[in-house]
């Protein structure tokens, strides 16, 4: 009965690992490493391009940026209109109080 044991590519006791097999194994490992490196470089280049596209869209006139600016401008316009409305209401209340006090020329407003 034998117990299975892991074999290593560079095991000097492995009879199947002749100098030619060792060279072939090393070439296969180099090829696999090159393929993996190429894959990682392509993947990282894709990630980098996606980030560049994201930054360009954010900084340019993207729809989101335009909508955000329009929203902020609308908020500022609303605040200005609200301040004007409050000023007009204060003036109207003063006119009503003056009219009720007998100053009838303030009633025409």
């Amino acid at each position: 009965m034998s117990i299975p044991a892991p074999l290593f590519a560079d095991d000097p006791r492995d009879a199947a690992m002749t100098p030619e097999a060792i060279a072939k194994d090393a070439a296969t490992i180099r090829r696999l490493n090159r393929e993996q490196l190429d894959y990682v470089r392509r993947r990282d280049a894709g990630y980098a391009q996606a980030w560049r596209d994201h930054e360009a869209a954010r900084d340019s006139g993207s729809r989101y940026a335009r909508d955000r600016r329009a929203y902020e401008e609308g908020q500022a316009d609303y605040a200005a209109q609200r301040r004007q409305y409050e000023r007009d209401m204060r003036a109207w209340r003063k006119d009503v109080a003056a009219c009720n006090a007998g100053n009838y020329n303030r009633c025409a407003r």
Side-chain angles (χ1 to χ4, degrees):
M1 175 183 212
S2 67
I3 299 173
L7 293 177
F8 301 102
D10 58 352
D11 186 357
R13 295 172 300 213
D14 185 3
M17 292 307 289
T18 64
E20 296 81 24
I22 291 171
K24 182 179 176 185
D25 191 48
T28 300
I29 291 170
R30 279 192 301 276
R31 180 183 55 80
L32 292 172
N33 284 339
R34 277 193 306 271
E35 288 173 2
Q36 188 65 29
L37 179 61
D38 290 341
Y39 163 77
V40 169
R41 285 179 175 161
R42 283 191 310 273
R43 181 200 64 194
D44 290 351
Y47 288 162
Q49 184 61 48
W51 277 109
R52 285 191 297 272
D53 293 346
H54 172 74
E55 289 294 321
R58 188 180 71 167
D59 294 338
S60 71
S62 70
R63 181 176 173 196
Y64 174 79
R66 286 192 309 269
D67 290 348
R68 182 72 187 170
R69 281 192 299 274
Y71 172 77
E72 289 168 356
E73 289 168 4
Q75 290 290 83
D77 289 345
Y78 173 79
Q81 291 171 1
R82 182 69 188 188
R83 286 190 300 272
Q84 183 61 46
Y85 170 78
E86 293 295 334
R87 284 191 298 269
D88 292 345
M89 287 303 293
R90 279 193 301 275
W92 178 78
R93 287 184 183 107
K94 284 181 185 179
D95 288 340
V96 168
C99 180
N100 288 338
N103 188 355
Y104 296 114
N105 62 346
R106 302 274 301 268
C107 296
R109 279 182 72 171

